[in-house]
Amino acid sequence: QQVVCEESGKNLFNISVNLFQNITKLSLKKNNITLDNHDKEILGRFINLTELHLNENNITVLNNNSFYNLKNLITLDISNNCISTVHKAAFSGLNQLSVLNLSYNMIVQLDSDTFTSLEKLSVLNLQYNFLKYFHVTSSFRLIKIVLAGNPWICSCDLLDLHIWLTTSNVTLENENNTRCTLPNMEKISIKMAAIQPADCKTEKTPSENTVTSTPAVNLRSRASAALTPNNITGNNGTQAELPVVGKSWTFLAGVLGFVLGTTLLIFTAVKCPAWYHYFISYHHRRLEENDSEMFEQEFSADMSPSSVSGTSSAELTVTFKKVHAFGDEEDGFIEDKYIDVYVNEER
């Protein structure tokens, strides 16, 4: 007995919890359902459900086990949503699913492994998504597939799909609109595209060799650099070449030299004035007793009556006293603490 529940166009954000659990057909199209964890829990209660319509909602991601416990579900329509990501186990548990509609979404990447658990799947609709490639295994079985409206790139990445479409009994619906967009904007069917297996094998071989050989070379070079000490010699008896020291040590030595040189210059600039004054203070020569006698003789010779005319002895005496009086107060020279000052007292 079929029990139908119509919940379309009611602006629902979640699936109602007041629905009968014995329903077999549930229509929730044209709502705002996102299929969150709460919605998945409610869907799990409808164990007798055979047909589910969730088209024209706000579903963006199909997480793993999104439809668990719906073991009797035969038709699932999730078209006209915003689905961009489909997890690998999104349809796990749908053992009886036969028709799956994922059209008019935003799916970019997908392969047949997502549908391997769907043993009864016969019709798959993927039209008008953003698929450029679709990797298919040889064990994938379908009766009809719809792939129109996707930006297919007819290159070696599409080789397995091309082989599957041409060798299996699957029907490619709307084949005239299932065309290659690249390369060179060729408007031909992906089933009729000139993708040769021999050409793809020759193209993949150099890249595979490069990918596998490069890590091996890097591992060998790293091992030889890390495990070769100074005293290890090669097979021919010569000393093994050591790894070249990087430029970081040179840069570090330059920085240390610059810092030490700058510090030495600053220290020298600070201490040089003190050293200079300390050296100059010992540069003066001490006066001896003979020097003072010579000074008196020269002074008496200059002040003798023969050298000075028209002066009396009294005037000479007065002049001499004035000179010595000036000498007692200030002699015109800077006093040096290492020079003994001799004061001539008048006898």
Side-chain angles (χ1 to χ4, degrees):
Q1 184 178 359
Q2 188 176 10
V3 180
V4 180
C5 181
E6 185 68 37
E7 292 287 313
S8 303
K10 293 186 178 182
N11 199 24
L12 299 176
F13 288 89
N14 293 102
I15 302 175
S16 177
V17 297
N18 299 322
L19 302 178
F20 294 107
Q21 296 184 5
N22 61 343
I23 58 177
T24 58
K25 180 180 178 181
L26 177 60
S27 178
L28 295 168
K29 61 182 180 180
K30 295 183 179 180
N31 285 294
N32 296 313
I33 297 172
T34 59
L35 201 61
D36 56 11
N37 293 330
H38 179 264
D39 295 330
K40 290 190 292 183
E41 183 180 355
I42 296 175
L43 280 178
R45 301 175 184 177
F46 307 135
I47 57 176
N48 297 323
L49 199 63
T50 60
E51 191 172 342
L52 177 61
H53 296 270
L54 284 168
N55 47 311
E56 299 183 52
N57 279 277
N58 291 329
I59 303 173
T60 58
V61 179
L62 291 179
N63 295 308
N64 293 331
N65 303 312
S66 294
F67 308 96
Y68 76 98
N69 211 29
L70 300 180
K71 298 180 180 180
N72 295 316
L73 192 65
I74 297 175
T75 302
L76 177 60
D77 187 358
I78 329 175
S79 61
N80 289 280
N81 279 274
C82 301
I83 301 173
S84 59
T85 304
V86 180
H87 289 220
K88 190 173 183 179
F91 306 106
S92 178
L94 300 179
N95 300 326
Q96 300 298 323
L97 188 66
S98 177
V99 179
L100 177 59
N101 190 352
L102 288 169
S103 62
Y104 293 95
N105 279 287
M106 304 171 66
I107 303 173
V108 177
Q109 185 176 1
L110 199 64
D111 54 47
S112 63
D113 292 339
T114 309
F115 313 104
T116 52
S117 62
L118 308 178
E119 298 178 357
K120 300 292 183 67
L121 186 64
S122 59
V123 179
L124 177 61
N125 192 342
L126 295 173
Q127 67 178 345
Y128 291 99
N129 279 277
F130 297 146
L131 294 171
K132 298 179 181 179
Y133 315 103
F134 182 61
H135 298 288
V136 181
T137 60
S138 58
S139 60
F140 192 47
R141 294 288 184 268
L142 285 178
I143 297 176
K144 183 173 65 175
I145 189 170
V146 187
L147 300 173
N150 286 282
W152 301 108
I153 298 179
C154 292
S155 63
C156 290
D157 291 325
L158 207 66
L159 176 63
D160 49 1
L161 177 61
H162 181 265
I163 295 175
W164 179 72
L165 290 174
T166 54
T167 58
S168 65
N169 295 325
V170 66
T171 300
L172 179 60
E173 189 173 300
N174 200 2
E175 181 179 346
N176 293 330
N177 292 329
T178 311
R179 300 175 179 177
C180 302
T181 58
L182 290 175
N184 300 325
M185 302 299 291
E186 297 177 359
K187 298 298 182 180
I188 59 174
S189 170
I190 62 173
K191 192 173 181 180
M192 303 301 295
I195 305 175
Q196 300 298 328
D199 297 336
C200 294
K201 289 181 180 179
T202 55
E203 289 179 3
K204 290 183 179 180
T205 302
S207 61
E208 290 175 356
N209 294 336
T210 304
V211 171
T212 55
S213 61
T214 302
V217 173
N218 292 336
L219 288 174
R220 293 193 195 99
S221 61
R222 291 177 183 175
S224 61
L227 300 178
T228 306
N230 294 332
N231 55 352
I232 291 180
T233 57
N235 295 330
N236 56 357
T238 59
Q239 186 174 0
E241 185 178 359
L242 296 176
V244 180
V245 180
K247 295 183 179 181
S248 58
W249 292 103
T250 306
F251 177 75
L252 180 60
V255 171
L256 290 177
F258 177 77
V259 171
L260 292 177
T262 305
T263 305
L264 182 61
L265 288 175
I266 295 174
F267 181 78
T268 305
V270 172
K271 293 296 182 179
C272 270
W275 293 345
Y276 177 77
H277 291 297
Y278 184 76
F279 176 76
I280 291 299
S281 63
Y282 286 94
H283 191 65
H284 295 286
R285 182 173 59 86
R286 294 177 61 89
L287 293 177
E288 299 179 358
E289 296 181 358
N290 295 332
D291 295 335
S292 60
E293 293 177 357
M294 292 175 61
F295 176 74
E296 292 178 357
Q297 292 178 0
E298 292 177 357
F299 181 77
S300 59
D302 292 336
M303 297 303 295
S304 62
S306 58
S307 58
V308 181
S309 60
T311 58
S312 61
S313 59
E315 293 176 354
L316 292 174
T317 302
V318 173
T319 304
F320 181 76
K321 288 181 178 181
K322 289 181 179 181
V323 171
H324 278 273
F326 173 79
D328 293 337
E329 296 177 358
E330 184 176 0
D331 55 0
F333 294 96
I334 298 174
E335 182 180 359
D336 196 333
K337 60 182 179 178
Y338 296 101
I339 302 175
D340 294 333
V341 180
Y342 294 92
V343 180
N344 296 323
E345 296 181 358
E346 184 178 359
R347 295 182 180 179

